[in-house]
């Protein structure tokens, strides 16, 4: 009898790819706003409603729900949505599990590498470092607190928090947005281009979730970013090389991004490095540790 894994954020890139990986060994269910398949169950975070049939005999929850950080300008309303989609959704799960006296083997939650703050310094952050104090750090602190509640309230045997870097995939996300100008030969770095950009190949982030699920000794926070660090400029150059396109200069000035994106521009113009040593010491091996190889796999 396969164990049941319930995944939230069903329409996201990671959920779609991860489910393909897990289907061989687990029975996979999804929580989604609109039911489309037999293994979908509906919930509405704003209304606080959820189809409780989703929780029958469930052993693990992988919580990937969360509004896209870089999709819209950060108005006050949008900021509330970014927090609520992560925190209120976790609280609804917790409340429903408590109501039905269900105890999970594991609660595995997405988290963000922005935990450490969005700033470009020479420091390489580890899981033991303190959080930053900008808006994205605050989002991640609240997000992780909502996850930790599952263990503190004795609803899950363990809680794993995956501090995720920029996920590289040609299907969606940052890489897809960066591709059109590079393909047209007018790609260029943004701001100074010297800001670090923690990244991870879509296959590797899905493999980390599978690794966390299958290794019951894993507990706590883990950085999920490739061991090879890169800057925005280096990423853009590598994309142009892999696609055999010229690189357009000069860089996109910071003030243009500030006009276009407001406060969100800070997340694009600054970035720090994080160490993935902890997950590797636990036994995880990256399939794509090097940027050039990752881009060749995704773009060719």
């Amino acid at each position: 009898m396969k164990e049941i894994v319930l995944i939230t954020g069903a329409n996201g890139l990671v959920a779609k790819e991860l489910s393909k990986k897990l289907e061989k060994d687990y029975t996979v269910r999804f929580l989604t706003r609109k039911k489309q398949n037999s293994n979908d169950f509906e919930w509405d975070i704003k209304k606080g409603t959820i189809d409780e049939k989703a929780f029958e005999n469930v052993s693990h929850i992988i919580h990937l729900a969360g509004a896209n950080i870089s999709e819209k300008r950060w108005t006050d309303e949008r900021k509330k949505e970014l927090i609520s989609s992560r925190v209120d959704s976790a609280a609804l799960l917790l409340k429903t599990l408590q109501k039905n006296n269900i105890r999970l083997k594991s609660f595995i939650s997405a988290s963000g590498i922005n935990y450490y703050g969005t700033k470009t310094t020479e420091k390489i952050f580890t899981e033991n470092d303190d959080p930053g104090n900008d808006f994205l750090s605050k989002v991640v602190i609240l997000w992780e607190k909502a996850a930790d509640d599952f263990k503190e309230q004795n609803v899950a045997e363990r809680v794993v928090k995956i501090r995720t870097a920029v996920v590289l995939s040609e299907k969606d996300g940052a890489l897809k947005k960066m591709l059109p100008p590079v393909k047209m030969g007018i790609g260029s770095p943004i701001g100074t281009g010297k800001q670090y950009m923690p990244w991870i190949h879509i296959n590797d982030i899905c493999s980390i979730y599978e690794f966390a699920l299958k290794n019951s000794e894993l507990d706590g926070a883990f950085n999920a970013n490739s061991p090879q660090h890169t800057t925005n400029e280096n990423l853009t150059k590598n994309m142009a090389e892999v696609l055999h396109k010229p690189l357009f200069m000069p860089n996109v000035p910071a003030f243009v991004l500030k006009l276009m994106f407001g406060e969100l521009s800070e997340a694009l113009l600054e970035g720090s490095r994080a160490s993935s040593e902890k997950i590797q010491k636990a036994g995880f091996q990256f399939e794509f540790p090097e940027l050039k190889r990752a881009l060749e796999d995704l773009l060719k």
Side-chain angles (χ1 to χ4, degrees):
M1 189 78 170
K2 289 180 180 178
E3 285 187 328
I4 295 167
V5 179
L6 179 63
I7 300 176
T8 71
N11 294 318
L13 170 71
V14 175
K16 286 175 186 169
E17 297 301 315
L18 175 60
S19 62
K20 293 175 196 169
K21 251 186 192 308
L22 298 183
E23 277 164 355
K24 181 166 61 72
D25 299 322
Y26 298 89
T27 297
V28 178
R29 292 177 187 161
F30 295 103
L31 273 174
T32 180
R33 279 176 299 214
K34 196 164 171 46
K35 185 178 171 76
Q36 289 176 309
N37 304 297
S38 59
N39 62 336
D40 287 347
F41 296 84
E42 288 187 9
W43 68 337
D44 188 317
I45 297 155
K46 282 182 181 152
K47 289 179 185 167
T49 58
I50 198 162
D51 183 349
E52 294 185 6
K53 290 202 251 346
F55 297 93
E56 285 172 11
N57 302 313
V58 73
S59 296
H60 311 272
I61 291 179
I62 299 179
H63 183 41
L64 303 176
N68 190 318
I69 292 286
S70 59
E71 201 171 76
K72 300 176 186 173
R73 282 177 80 98
W74 291 349
T75 60
D76 288 346
E77 199 53 43
R78 182 62 175 171
K79 283 182 172 181
K80 283 178 195 160
E81 192 182 346
L82 291 173
I83 293 168
S84 169
S85 60
R86 290 162 170 76
V87 176
D88 295 347
S89 56
L92 179 57
L93 293 171
L94 181 64
K95 191 173 90 176
T96 311
L97 290 164
Q98 285 172 321
K99 181 185 161 193
N100 291 283
N101 289 318
I102 297 165
R103 190 160 190 257
L104 301 171
K105 288 185 178 177
S106 56
F107 183 80
I108 301 168
S109 177
S111 175
I113 210 77
N114 311 90
Y115 176 85
Y116 309 105
T118 312
K119 50 188 179 284
T120 309
T121 67
E122 286 313 298
K123 185 169 173 61
I124 298 173
F125 290 93
T126 73
E127 291 83 352
N128 295 327
D129 282 308
D130 291 332
N133 59 5
D134 55 25
F135 170 66
L136 282 184
S137 300
K138 286 169 186 165
V139 171
V140 181
I141 292 163
L142 292 168
W143 198 0
E144 292 198 358
K145 168 75 179 73
D148 286 333
D149 283 346
F150 284 74
K151 195 171 173 184
E152 283 166 21
Q153 303 276 339
N154 205 27
V155 171
E157 287 172 30
R158 64 189 179 110
V159 167
V160 185
K161 297 161 288 186
I162 309 292
R163 290 180 181 162
T164 310
V166 173
V167 176
L168 297 187
S169 166
E170 78 288 7
K171 293 176 185 170
D172 205 354
L175 190 65
K176 192 182 177 189
K177 285 176 187 159
M178 291 172 79
L179 273 174
V182 176
K183 281 182 172 173
M184 290 189 282
I186 54 167
S188 61
I190 60 173
T192 64
K194 302 284 185 278
Q195 66 273 35
Y196 292 107
M197 194 168 163
W199 64 276
I200 188 166
H201 189 291
I202 180 65
N203 286 17
D204 280 328
I205 189 63
C206 292
S207 295
I208 283 178
Y209 276 103
E210 183 183 28
F211 183 78
L213 187 62
K214 290 182 172 176
N215 289 273
S216 58
E217 72 283 359
L218 258 64
D219 208 335
F222 291 86
N223 293 338
N225 59 285
S226 169
Q228 188 187 63
H229 306 297
T230 192
T231 60
N232 173 267
E233 182 177 44
N234 190 49
L235 174 64
T236 313
K237 278 181 180 169
N238 273 281
M239 285 171 68
E241 268 178 45
V242 169
L243 293 166
H244 305 296
K245 296 288 180 185
L247 202 57
F248 182 74
M249 291 295 178
N251 294 16
V252 180
F255 78 87
V256 173
L257 287 148
K258 284 173 183 169
L259 282 171
M260 286 170 69
F261 299 111
E263 192 184 341
L264 164 58
S265 64
E266 289 171 23
L268 307 172
L269 294 165
E270 296 287 339
S272 44
R273 293 176 292 175
S275 166
S276 56
E277 212 171 285
K278 185 180 175 187
I279 192 82
Q280 291 182 86
K281 278 187 173 166
F284 181 78
Q285 288 185 309
F286 284 87
E287 186 184 353
F288 295 99
E290 291 165 4
L291 181 63
K292 189 85 178 274
R293 228 188 105 226
L295 290 172
E296 283 169 351
D297 176 70
L298 294 165
L299 302 180
K300 284 195 170 173

